[in-house]
């Protein structure tokens, strides 16, 4: 099966297994895993940030990011399509006792004006705005990227109004490649960034929260409280490090394939989409003839798996284990679908 359901479905390559097998390990709760320590330093340096803490998932990275900035009854400004809002099981209420303030962005991207006008006064009766959380790329937005100027403008607002800026950078790697922005530029503007190694980079497990030494010290304590302290996790660090070294620069290939599929989809009268909206590795398209179920079955019968994304929309996501011939198969399936 050609698996376009997500970029999380990759399996380790031989080279990745090899470094995992040979990884030196130690007890990380005692701070003794050399590979994890090296990875935390390496990724913090890539983003020009002081420190990082390895976590099992992007969800934990985001939730620790919110936890270290907030007190119960604080509020976080966020796009209504954000993963933190939709897909983290209301964890921010459970773990931090905070409220999310979802705004209607454009395909997952907020404007600086919107953010500015959503910051509350500090009356007794107001939830106190504490954090602005951005998602780059936006998953539900269709892999959209924040223009760097917008991030800078939002950063200015957060500084002026005494807020923290958190970035859900699960796919920041894709955004950096697509917009040709150095990772350090994000590091210079954000107080915390959660990055994933297990999406397009292709590691089997792992994410990292980046920030100042002080914030990461706090995050490390909450990671342990949440049960995220790991022991001999050096093999995971080895996989993540390998993924950054070998797969980051190649993400443009996934973006190219996503654009090609988008063109095939757009050429069909059964689907609706604008290929110009494909910025990275995610393709969202509406089914206008037949139904999402019917189209998904059609793709499946041609050996291609995709997922439903709302009532009338399908998502296809590219990763480095999709070949050009897989892409051809997916394109032919899109072109030959007729719908009823
Ligand atoms: C934008 C975004 N943030 C965070 C996550 C959470 O990552 P994890 O599944 O590792 O918890 C995802 C997962 O797909 C995501 O798409």
């Amino acid at each position: 099966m050609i698996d376009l359901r997500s970029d999380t479905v990759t399996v380790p390559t031989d080279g990745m297994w090899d470094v995992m097998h040979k990884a030196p390990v130690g007890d990380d709760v005692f701070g003794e895993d050399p590979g994890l320590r090296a990875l935390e330093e390496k990724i913090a340096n890539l983003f020009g940030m002081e420190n990082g803490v390895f976590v099992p998932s992007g969800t934990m990275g985001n939730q620790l990011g919110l936890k270290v900035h907030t007190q119960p009854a604080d509020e976080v400004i966020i796009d209504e399509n954000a993963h933190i809002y939709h897909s983290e099981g209301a964890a921010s209420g459970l773990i931090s006792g905070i409220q999310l303030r979802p705004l209607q962005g454009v395909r997952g991207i907020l404007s600086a004006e919107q953010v500015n006008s959503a910051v509350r006064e500090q009356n007794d009766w107001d939830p106190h705005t504490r954090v602005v959380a951005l998602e780059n790329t936006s998953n539900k937005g269709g892999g959209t990227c924040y223009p760097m100027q917008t991030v800078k403008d939002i950063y200015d607002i957060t500084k002026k109004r005494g807020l923290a800026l958190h970035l859900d950078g699960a796919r920041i790697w894709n955004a950096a490649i697509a917009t040709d922005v150095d990772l350090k530029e994000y590091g210079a503007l954000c107080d915390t960034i959660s990055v994933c190694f297990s999406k397009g980079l292709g590691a089997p497990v792992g994410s990292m929260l980046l920030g100042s030494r002080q914030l990461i010290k706090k995050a490390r304590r909450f990671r342990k409280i949440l049960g995220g302290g790991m022991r001999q996790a050096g093999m995971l660090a080895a996989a993540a490090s390998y993924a950054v070294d070998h797969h980051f620069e190649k993400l443009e290939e996934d973006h190219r394939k996503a654009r090609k599929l988008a063109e095939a989809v757009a050429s069909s009268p059964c689907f609706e989409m604008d290929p110009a909206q494909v910025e990275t590795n995610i393709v969202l398209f509406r089914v206008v003839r037949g139904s999402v179920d019917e189209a998904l079955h059609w793709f499946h019968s041609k050996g291609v798996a995709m997922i439903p994304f709302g009532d009338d929309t399908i998502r296809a996501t590219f990763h480095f284990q999709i070949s050009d011939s897989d892409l051809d198969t997916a394109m032919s399936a899109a072109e030959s679908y007729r719908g009823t």
Side-chain angles (χ1 to χ4, degrees):
M1 187 60 66
I2 297 163
D3 200 344
L4 299 181
R5 288 173 304 156
S6 176
D7 50 9
T8 57
V9 299
T10 58
V11 293
T13 59
D14 289 346
M16 190 180 278
W17 277 124
D18 199 40
V19 295
M20 290 172 78
H21 184 66
K22 293 181 182 141
V25 292
D27 189 326
D28 187 52
V29 172
F30 293 158
E32 290 172 4
D33 190 286
L36 265 192
R37 282 292 139 109
L39 179 74
E40 286 166 350
E41 200 179 318
K42 169 175 169 165
I43 305 302
N45 285 339
L46 262 185
F47 283 81
M49 297 180 90
E50 276 181 10
N51 212 341
V53 58
F54 187 77
V55 289
S57 66
T59 300
M60 191 182 280
N62 279 332
Q63 294 303 325
L64 290 179
L66 299 182
K67 180 77 186 161
V68 297
H69 294 305
T70 57
Q71 293 296 323
D74 283 345
E75 186 172 72
V76 176
I77 294 174
I78 195 155
D79 180 83
E80 63 176 5
N81 277 312
H83 193 276
I84 288 174
Y85 181 55
H86 266 284
S87 306
E88 299 188 4
S92 53
L94 184 70
I95 295 169
S96 300
I98 56 178
Q99 170 168 297
L100 301 178
R101 172 102 183 265
L103 306 180
Q104 190 177 17
V106 177
R107 293 190 299 128
I109 306 297
L110 296 174
S111 71
E113 295 72 27
Q114 262 182 309
V115 168
N116 196 37
S117 54
V119 180
R120 311 232 196 211
E121 302 301 324
Q122 298 270 311
N123 297 306
D124 286 348
W125 55 87
D126 285 316
H128 285 189
T129 313
R130 259 308 294 144
V131 182
V132 178
L134 309 180
E135 183 176 307
N136 198 16
T137 68
S138 162
N139 180 353
K140 274 188 183 289
T144 44
C145 302
Y146 265 90
M148 207 55 209
Q149 190 54 51
T150 306
V151 183
K152 286 180 181 157
D153 292 345
I154 292 175
Y155 164 82
D156 286 342
I157 292 162
T158 59
K159 289 311 118 193
K160 224 175 272 163
R161 309 205 58 175
L163 311 175
L165 183 57
H166 172 75
L167 176 63
D168 176 350
R171 296 184 181 78
I172 192 65
W173 317 99
N174 298 82
I177 293 289
T179 57
D180 198 21
V181 168
D182 191 305
L183 296 170
K184 287 191 174 62
E185 288 197 44
Y186 300 109
L189 300 175
C190 300
D191 295 290
T192 45
I193 305 182
S194 167
V195 302
C196 289
F197 306 111
S198 57
K199 309 290 183 293
L201 290 187
V205 179
S207 294
M208 190 173 288
L209 182 71
L210 301 161
S212 67
R213 217 161 262 119
Q214 195 188 5
L215 286 175
I216 297 304
K217 185 168 190 287
K218 212 168 154 185
R220 211 173 274 282
R221 169 167 155 70
F222 285 118
R223 179 187 68 165
K224 187 72 181 81
I225 290 170
L226 292 175
M230 283 165 276
R231 303 294 178 174
Q232 288 74 18
M235 77 281 288
L236 300 180
S241 187
Y242 183 94
V244 172
D245 293 346
H246 292 83
H247 302 154
F248 175 33
E249 294 295 337
K250 291 190 193 150
L251 290 173
E252 178 48 35
E253 271 297 290
D254 302 342
H255 303 172
R256 175 184 66 77
K257 289 175 187 144
R259 285 193 297 270
K260 294 277 285 180
L261 177 68
E263 282 160 20
V265 165
S267 72
S268 164
C270 302
F271 303 123
E272 211 171 73
M273 78 146 323
D274 176 3
Q277 291 191 339
V278 174
E279 297 177 42
T280 55
N281 64 331
I282 296 176
V283 182
L284 297 185
F285 56 96
R286 286 186 60 228
V287 181
V288 292
R289 279 197 206 162
S291 66
V292 164
D293 267 1
E294 188 186 348
L296 286 173
H297 275 110
W298 173 260
F299 280 113
H300 207 265
S301 72
K302 301 292 175 191
V304 182
M306 299 180 182
I307 55 168
F309 226 56
D311 292 344
D312 61 357
T313 302
I314 289 177
R315 187 187 78 174
T317 307
F318 282 82
H319 51 80
F320 73 101
Q321 285 172 339
I322 299 297
S323 66
D324 275 312
S325 99
D326 294 339
L327 169 64
D328 288 343
T329 305
M331 288 170 67
S332 308
E335 284 157 356
S336 55
Y337 173 71
R338 291 294 170 260
T340 51

